[in-house]
Amino acid sequence: MRTCMLVLLWASLSLYVDTMSITRRIVVEMGEMEGEKEEDRDGGKGGKLLKRFKRGWMWNQFFLQEEYTGSDKQYIGKLQSDMDRGDGTLKYILSGDGAGDIFTIDENNGDLHANKRLDREDKAFYTLRATVVNKNTGMKLEPETEFIVKLHDINDNEPIFTKELYTVSVPERSNMGTSVTQVTATDADDSMYGNSAKLRYSISQGHPYFSVEPDTGIIRTALGPGEMDREKREHYQVVIEAKDMAGQRGGLTGTTTVNITLTDVNDNPPRFSQSIYQFSVPESMKAGTPVGRIKAVDKDLGKNAEMFYNVVGGDDLDMFDVITDKDSQEGIITVVKPLDYEKTRSYTLEIQVQNTQTLDTRFLGYLPTKDMATVRIGIEDVDEPPLFERASYVMEVKEDAAMGTAVGSVRAMDPDGYNSPVRYSIDRRTDLDRLFNVHSGNGSIFITRPLDREEAAWHNISVIATEFNKPLQTSRVPVYIRLLDVNDNAPTFASFYETFVCEKTKAGQKIQTVSAVDADDPAGGHKFFFSLATEGAYRGNFTVRDNGDNTAGVLTRRSSYSRLHKSVYLVPVVITDGDFPMQSSTGTLTVRVCSCDREGNMELCNAEAQTSSAGLSTGALVAILLCVIILLMIVVLFAALKKQKKKEPLIISKEDVRDNVVSYNDEGGGEEDTQAFDIGALRNPEAIEESKQRRDIIPSDTLYPPLRRTAIPSRDNADVRDFINQRVQDNDNNPTAPPYDSLATYAYEGTGSVAESLSSLGSASSEGDQDYNYLSDWGPRFRKLADMYGAEDSDCDS
């Protein structure tokens, strides 16, 4: 029905447009024509002739309905010129957007048509140009003029939202009407024509929690704070609908989905899951050790669920503490001070929990913002080691105290109810020199060896306390023993002093300043006194003057000294300290007599002083002596090795029937040299060469006259000779033998003996009975063997 009404409406509009003045007319005003005549007359009088032309077209816009569904071309309108007399001499020509393709014009009568179905959303209007020409001459009769074809919009596009899915959030407990978000939809239809693009928003899913403003698309909460509780429901899905035609019936619609999440606010206080917690811990638990965990639950999330615990009441509040685990939000109860079962066997604590963030109390009513829980901690008895009264002991004793003197005492007791006796001892790893000992019963520490503060001013030892009945229960305590100083060391010179005095000098002239040191450490500081020894001839030559600041000056008492008479003076200086008992020592100052210039500068001293530094040191002399000794030992060893070296014989003994390797050290002359090697020695090892000529030079008859060899009778060695000849022949005929001289080894055991082989491998039957009685006939050497095998035969027979 709606479509039919639209067709009728547009048909009426088209007829109305056709009846309007769309033709081209030439309007000639009579006044204007008379003005032109007057201008012509003025021009005839000698003025310039002016001509005025009026446009002959009056154009209106053409309108065309979009989305035309008819089968014929869509008629737009008619163009007509006043010059058209209907005789067919004019031709209408169309150009511009879509001319000839989308739009066509009848060149004879000026009818304008649309050939295609058009969409206003693709293009809203088209600009065309028309002109009129003479068909015969082709000359333009009118200038080209533009006109516009606009497309009338129809409601053919539904609203489209900018997003298919919105994800937003709003705090829980928000007041009614709180803005959540705004959705926006657009319609491609013409907003300037009709209601095709006029949209209205409505909510199709999400009642009664949310609402939407029809004109703006703003979504708001529709319920009060008491209903919008995240702990009851956190997520909502709302469907918003946008409808064109101002929401009237028949309008097109579009939808979008809005996912709304309620964000958390701190509207729930933490609550303990139970009101009483119980734990048990041993009394030996160290400070800082966790006792147990308690947990409170908060329905909120994130920072709103963060909480902290604290101890607000109970027994001995300083014995335990509670801290918060940031990850699990649990309360961890820890030990602060050492526990003692014998003193307190249980503790009761009141622990409070609350949020770290400010709590929104609007919806709590009379409910408390904090929660309380009772924690009961039982202490378990543990067999503990002895406990010293102090964590450490500091004692003092004089360094000259006699052995056996008590330095101090320590005391420990069994903290358990049994009150077991305690035995004391010293950890010898802390007293390696065994200077101290402790009484095993009462803990008194006494001296066992002499002490010296100058060696060690402090001694740090460890005393061990052990229960008599349970030796594994031990504890230890450090004992720091300070040795008090006693004036038992005499002062001495701070360094070795040596000076000189000029032969020509003045009496009372200072030649040296001396100072002293003392290993002792008196409470009031050191005080030294210097003086010359009471006896000695040096008193007439030098004197000592105490400066009063632990130094003294050595002065001359004569105006001249003689190097030739006495070149060195040893001046004894007595040094005394100011402590009790007083200690003193004598230091010697060496004074050399030297010749000096007028200014008192030393020029020459005695000969001893000049030559004392000459010569080699003792270390250098020792090194030189060691080098000489080592060289002598090397020479002697080399000579001894030379004497021991001797030539070994070819055959050590005639009775040595083992194979012997004889080295001749002769170089062969090649394959053609058949005389290079004489194997006669192999055939007759006892033959002695009477002379041996060199093969690297031409022999001389004068130097080496021919010798006549005398045949030496040899023993019968035919078997050896046959063996070697056979092996030589085999080697000569061997085609794989190398073409150069090579060493061939011929191993020959010799002929068999009367005793034959003792091995069972060559026996016909190794497991059969053997008669070994014949061994007795071989002589005394085989008698023992005959007795052994004969005894075995007799055992087998028995």
Side-chain angles (χ1 to χ4, degrees), residues 331-351:
I332 304 175
I333 302 174
T334 58
V335 178
V336 176
K337 293 184 177 181
L339 305 175
D340 190 350
Y341 172 81
E342 287 70 28
K343 292 182 179 180
T344 306
R345 300 189 177 187
S346 65
Y347 294 88
T348 300
L349 303 176
E350 296 294 333
I351 297 181

PDB file of all heavy atoms in Angstrom, residues 331-351:
ATOM      1  N   GLY A 331      46.469 -12.611  56.916  1.00  0.00           N
ATOM      2  CA  GLY A 331      47.213 -12.095  58.050  1.00  0.00           C
ATOM      3  C   GLY A 331      48.164 -13.158  58.575  1.00  0.00           C
ATOM      4  O   GLY A 331      47.745 -14.274  58.899  1.00  0.00           O
ATOM      5  N   ILE A 332      49.471 -12.830  58.636  1.00  0.00           N
ATOM      6  CA  ILE A 332      50.501 -13.775  59.079  1.00  0.00           C
ATOM      7  C   ILE A 332      50.910 -13.384  60.496  1.00  0.00           C
ATOM      8  O   ILE A 332      51.444 -12.289  60.724  1.00  0.00           O
ATOM      9  CB  ILE A 332      51.714 -13.748  58.142  1.00  0.00           C
ATOM     10  CG1 ILE A 332      51.283 -14.035  56.695  1.00  0.00           C
ATOM     11  CG2 ILE A 332      52.758 -14.763  58.588  1.00  0.00           C
ATOM     12  CD1 ILE A 332      52.402 -13.897  55.699  1.00  0.00           C
ATOM     13  N   ILE A 333      50.676 -14.277  61.434  1.00  0.00           N
ATOM     14  CA  ILE A 333      51.040 -14.039  62.830  1.00  0.00           C
ATOM     15  C   ILE A 333      52.468 -14.519  63.034  1.00  0.00           C
ATOM     16  O   ILE A 333      52.813 -15.663  62.710  1.00  0.00           O
ATOM     17  CB  ILE A 333      50.079 -14.773  63.780  1.00  0.00           C
ATOM     18  CG1 ILE A 333      48.632 -14.322  63.518  1.00  0.00           C
ATOM     19  CG2 ILE A 333      50.456 -14.536  65.228  1.00  0.00           C
ATOM     20  CD1 ILE A 333      47.603 -15.106  64.300  1.00  0.00           C
ATOM     21  N   THR A 334      53.343 -13.649  63.558  1.00  0.00           N
ATOM     22  CA  THR A 334      54.748 -13.980  63.764  1.00  0.00           C
ATOM     23  C   THR A 334      55.139 -13.754  65.212  1.00  0.00           C
ATOM     24  O   THR A 334      54.493 -12.998  65.952  1.00  0.00           O
ATOM     25  CB  THR A 334      55.642 -13.115  62.862  1.00  0.00           C
ATOM     26  OG1 THR A 334      55.401 -11.737  63.157  1.00  0.00           O
ATOM     27  CG2 THR A 334      55.343 -13.363  61.393  1.00  0.00           C
ATOM     28  N   VAL A 335      56.236 -14.442  65.611  1.00  0.00           N
ATOM     29  CA  VAL A 335      56.775 -14.311  66.961  1.00  0.00           C
ATOM     30  C   VAL A 335      57.673 -13.075  67.005  1.00  0.00           C
ATOM     31  O   VAL A 335      58.487 -12.856  66.107  1.00  0.00           O
ATOM     32  CB  VAL A 335      57.562 -15.571  67.355  1.00  0.00           C
ATOM     33  CG1 VAL A 335      58.167 -15.415  68.747  1.00  0.00           C
ATOM     34  CG2 VAL A 335      56.653 -16.790  67.317  1.00  0.00           C
ATOM     35  N   VAL A 336      57.522 -12.276  68.048  1.00  0.00           N
ATOM     36  CA  VAL A 336      58.351 -11.071  68.220  1.00  0.00           C
ATOM     37  C   VAL A 336      59.430 -11.300  69.267  1.00  0.00           C
ATOM     38  O   VAL A 336      60.595 -10.936  69.055  1.00  0.00           O
ATOM     39  CB  VAL A 336      57.472  -9.864  68.597  1.00  0.00           C
ATOM     40  CG1 VAL A 336      58.328  -8.629  68.869  1.00  0.00           C
ATOM     41  CG2 VAL A 336      56.469  -9.584  67.498  1.00  0.00           C
ATOM     42  N   LYS A 337      59.093 -11.929  70.385  1.00  0.00           N
ATOM     43  CA  LYS A 337      60.041 -12.175  71.469  1.00  0.00           C
ATOM     44  C   LYS A 337      60.140 -13.671  71.738  1.00  0.00           C
ATOM     45  O   LYS A 337      59.232 -14.436  71.404  1.00  0.00           O
ATOM     46  CB  LYS A 337      59.607 -11.439  72.739  1.00  0.00           C
ATOM     47  CG  LYS A 337      59.687  -9.924  72.627  1.00  0.00           C
ATOM     48  CD  LYS A 337      59.322  -9.275  73.954  1.00  0.00           C
ATOM     49  CE  LYS A 337      59.461  -7.752  73.882  1.00  0.00           C
ATOM     50  NZ  LYS A 337      59.131  -7.125  75.183  1.00  0.00           N
ATOM     51  N   PRO A 338      61.251 -14.113  72.356  1.00  0.00           N
ATOM     52  CA  PRO A 338      61.397 -15.541  72.663  1.00  0.00           C
ATOM     53  C   PRO A 338      60.273 -16.042  73.565  1.00  0.00           C
ATOM     54  O   PRO A 338      59.810 -15.332  74.471  1.00  0.00           O
ATOM     55  CB  PRO A 338      62.760 -15.621  73.354  1.00  0.00           C
ATOM     56  CG  PRO A 338      63.495 -14.402  72.911  1.00  0.00           C
ATOM     57  CD  PRO A 338      62.460 -13.341  72.717  1.00  0.00           C
ATOM     58  N   LEU A 339      59.856 -17.251  73.309  1.00  0.00           N
ATOM     59  CA  LEU A 339      58.779 -17.875  74.080  1.00  0.00           C
ATOM     60  C   LEU A 339      59.368 -18.736  75.189  1.00  0.00           C
ATOM     61  O   LEU A 339      60.472 -19.283  75.046  1.00  0.00           O
ATOM     62  CB  LEU A 339      57.892 -18.720  73.155  1.00  0.00           C
ATOM     63  CG  LEU A 339      57.286 -17.989  71.945  1.00  0.00           C
ATOM     64  CD1 LEU A 339      56.540 -18.967  71.066  1.00  0.00           C
ATOM     65  CD2 LEU A 339      56.368 -16.861  72.406  1.00  0.00           C
ATOM     66  N   ASP A 340      58.621 -18.885  76.253  1.00  0.00           N
ATOM     67  CA  ASP A 340      59.080 -19.688  77.380  1.00  0.00           C
ATOM     68  C   ASP A 340      57.873 -20.448  77.934  1.00  0.00           C
ATOM     69  O   ASP A 340      56.951 -19.844  78.500  1.00  0.00           O
ATOM     70  CB  ASP A 340      59.709 -18.796  78.452  1.00  0.00           C
ATOM     71  CG  ASP A 340      60.419 -19.619  79.518  1.00  0.00           C
ATOM     72  OD1 ASP A 340      60.260 -20.857  79.523  1.00  0.00           O
ATOM     73  OD2 ASP A 340      61.136 -19.030  80.347  1.00  0.00           O
ATOM     74  N   TYR A 341      57.912 -21.735  77.746  1.00  0.00           N
ATOM     75  CA  TYR A 341      56.802 -22.581  78.194  1.00  0.00           C
ATOM     76  C   TYR A 341      56.668 -22.544  79.712  1.00  0.00           C
ATOM     77  O   TYR A 341      55.549 -22.597  80.259  1.00  0.00           O
ATOM     78  CB  TYR A 341      57.025 -24.003  77.702  1.00  0.00           C
ATOM     79  CG  TYR A 341      56.046 -25.008  78.245  1.00  0.00           C
ATOM     80  CD1 TYR A 341      54.779 -25.147  77.671  1.00  0.00           C
ATOM     81  CD2 TYR A 341      56.379 -25.818  79.321  1.00  0.00           C
ATOM     82  CE1 TYR A 341      53.869 -26.069  78.179  1.00  0.00           C
ATOM     83  CE2 TYR A 341      55.489 -26.748  79.830  1.00  0.00           C
ATOM     84  CZ  TYR A 341      54.226 -26.863  79.247  1.00  0.00           C
ATOM     85  OH  TYR A 341      53.338 -27.768  79.759  1.00  0.00           O
ATOM     86  N   GLU A 342      57.821 -22.457  80.387  1.00  0.00           N
ATOM     87  CA  GLU A 342      57.788 -22.473  81.839  1.00  0.00           C
ATOM     88  C   GLU A 342      57.161 -21.201  82.414  1.00  0.00           C
ATOM     89  O   GLU A 342      56.665 -21.201  83.547  1.00  0.00           O
ATOM     90  CB  GLU A 342      59.198 -22.641  82.402  1.00  0.00           C
ATOM     91  CG  GLU A 342      59.768 -24.057  82.233  1.00  0.00           C
ATOM     92  CD  GLU A 342      60.092 -24.396  80.784  1.00  0.00           C
ATOM     93  OE1 GLU A 342      60.388 -23.446  80.013  1.00  0.00           O
ATOM     94  OE2 GLU A 342      60.042 -25.580  80.423  1.00  0.00           O
ATOM     95  N   LYS A 343      57.150 -20.106  81.673  1.00  0.00           N
ATOM     96  CA  LYS A 343      56.557 -18.853  82.146  1.00  0.00           C
ATOM     97  C   LYS A 343      55.112 -18.698  81.687  1.00  0.00           C
ATOM     98  O   LYS A 343      54.225 -18.414  82.480  1.00  0.00           O
ATOM     99  CB  LYS A 343      57.392 -17.675  81.665  1.00  0.00           C
ATOM    100  CG  LYS A 343      58.769 -17.606  82.296  1.00  0.00           C
ATOM    101  CD  LYS A 343      59.513 -16.380  81.796  1.00  0.00           C
ATOM    102  CE  LYS A 343      60.899 -16.272  82.441  1.00  0.00           C
ATOM    103  NZ  LYS A 343      61.638 -15.077  81.964  1.00  0.00           N
ATOM    104  N   THR A 344      54.875 -18.852  80.405  1.00  0.00           N
ATOM    105  CA  THR A 344      53.521 -18.680  79.862  1.00  0.00           C
ATOM    106  C   THR A 344      53.254 -19.813  78.882  1.00  0.00           C
ATOM    107  O   THR A 344      54.045 -20.031  77.948  1.00  0.00           O
ATOM    108  CB  THR A 344      53.377 -17.324  79.149  1.00  0.00           C
ATOM    109  OG1 THR A 344      53.761 -16.284  80.042  1.00  0.00           O
ATOM    110  CG2 THR A 344      51.951 -17.109  78.688  1.00  0.00           C
ATOM    111  N   ARG A 345      52.147 -20.514  79.089  1.00  0.00           N
ATOM    112  CA  ARG A 345      51.853 -21.681  78.258  1.00  0.00           C
ATOM    113  C   ARG A 345      50.833 -21.403  77.164  1.00  0.00           C
ATOM    114  O   ARG A 345      50.624 -22.248  76.303  1.00  0.00           O
ATOM    115  CB  ARG A 345      51.367 -22.827  79.143  1.00  0.00           C
ATOM    116  CG  ARG A 345      52.388 -23.234  80.176  1.00  0.00           C
ATOM    117  CD  ARG A 345      52.002 -24.498  80.897  1.00  0.00           C
ATOM    118  NE  ARG A 345      53.025 -24.909  81.844  1.00  0.00           N
ATOM    119  CZ  ARG A 345      53.007 -26.063  82.520  1.00  0.00           C
ATOM    120  NH1 ARG A 345      51.976 -26.899  82.361  1.00  0.00           N
ATOM    121  NH2 ARG A 345      53.987 -26.360  83.367  1.00  0.00           N
ATOM    122  N   SER A 346      50.180 -20.262  77.156  1.00  0.00           N
ATOM    123  CA  SER A 346      49.222 -19.933  76.098  1.00  0.00           C
ATOM    124  C   SER A 346      49.036 -18.421  76.055  1.00  0.00           C
ATOM    125  O   SER A 346      49.249 -17.718  77.052  1.00  0.00           O
ATOM    126  CB  SER A 346      47.876 -20.628  76.319  1.00  0.00           C
ATOM    127  OG  SER A 346      47.261 -20.143  77.508  1.00  0.00           O
ATOM    128  N   TYR A 347      48.618 -17.955  74.880  1.00  0.00           N
ATOM    129  CA  TYR A 347      48.364 -16.534  74.666  1.00  0.00           C
ATOM    130  C   TYR A 347      47.042 -16.393  73.911  1.00  0.00           C
ATOM    131  O   TYR A 347      46.685 -17.244  73.083  1.00  0.00           O
ATOM    132  CB  TYR A 347      49.476 -15.884  73.833  1.00  0.00           C
ATOM    133  CG  TYR A 347      50.824 -15.848  74.528  1.00  0.00           C
ATOM    134  CD1 TYR A 347      51.707 -16.919  74.416  1.00  0.00           C
ATOM    135  CD2 TYR A 347      51.204 -14.749  75.274  1.00  0.00           C
ATOM    136  CE1 TYR A 347      52.937 -16.895  75.032  1.00  0.00           C
ATOM    137  CE2 TYR A 347      52.442 -14.712  75.912  1.00  0.00           C
ATOM    138  CZ  TYR A 347      53.306 -15.785  75.785  1.00  0.00           C
ATOM    139  OH  TYR A 347      54.521 -15.756  76.408  1.00  0.00           O
ATOM    140  N   THR A 348      46.317 -15.307  74.205  1.00  0.00           N
ATOM    141  CA  THR A 348      45.071 -14.986  73.502  1.00  0.00           C
ATOM    142  C   THR A 348      45.207 -13.597  72.903  1.00  0.00           C
ATOM    143  O   THR A 348      45.544 -12.638  73.611  1.00  0.00           O
ATOM    144  CB  THR A 348      43.869 -15.033  74.449  1.00  0.00           C
ATOM    145  OG1 THR A 348      43.758 -16.348  75.006  1.00  0.00           O
ATOM    146  CG2 THR A 348      42.585 -14.711  73.698  1.00  0.00           C
ATOM    147  N   LEU A 349      44.930 -13.493  71.604  1.00  0.00           N
ATOM    148  CA  LEU A 349      45.083 -12.230  70.885  1.00  0.00           C
ATOM    149  C   LEU A 349      43.753 -11.851  70.252  1.00  0.00           C
ATOM    150  O   LEU A 349      42.993 -12.724  69.800  1.00  0.00           O
ATOM    151  CB  LEU A 349      46.156 -12.339  69.789  1.00  0.00           C
ATOM    152  CG  LEU A 349      47.563 -12.780  70.224  1.00  0.00           C
ATOM    153  CD1 LEU A 349      48.456 -12.914  69.002  1.00  0.00           C
ATOM    154  CD2 LEU A 349      48.145 -11.808  71.233  1.00  0.00           C
ATOM    155  N   GLU A 350      43.489 -10.558  70.213  1.00  0.00           N
ATOM    156  CA  GLU A 350      42.342 -10.015  69.496  1.00  0.00           C
ATOM    157  C   GLU A 350      42.876  -9.288  68.264  1.00  0.00           C
ATOM    158  O   GLU A 350      43.620  -8.306  68.391  1.00  0.00           O
ATOM    159  CB  GLU A 350      41.546  -9.044  70.381  1.00  0.00           C
ATOM    160  CG  GLU A 350      40.907  -9.693  71.594  1.00  0.00           C
ATOM    161  CD  GLU A 350      39.813 -10.685  71.208  1.00  0.00           C
ATOM    162  OE1 GLU A 350      39.216 -10.498  70.127  1.00  0.00           O
ATOM    163  OE2 GLU A 350      39.565 -11.637  71.973  1.00  0.00           O
ATOM    164  N   ILE A 351      42.499  -9.765  67.077  1.00  0.00           N
ATOM    165  CA  ILE A 351      43.030  -9.223  65.829  1.00  0.00           C
ATOM    166  C   ILE A 351      41.893  -8.582  65.055  1.00  0.00           C
ATOM    167  O   ILE A 351      40.801  -9.164  64.913  1.00  0.00           O
ATOM    168  CB  ILE A 351      43.717 -10.324  64.999  1.00  0.00           C
ATOM    169  CG1 ILE A 351      44.923 -10.865  65.777  1.00  0.00           C
ATOM    170  CG2 ILE A 351      44.143  -9.802  63.637  1.00  0.00           C
ATOM    171  CD1 ILE A 351      45.690 -11.941  65.061  1.00  0.00           C
TER     172      ILE A 351
END
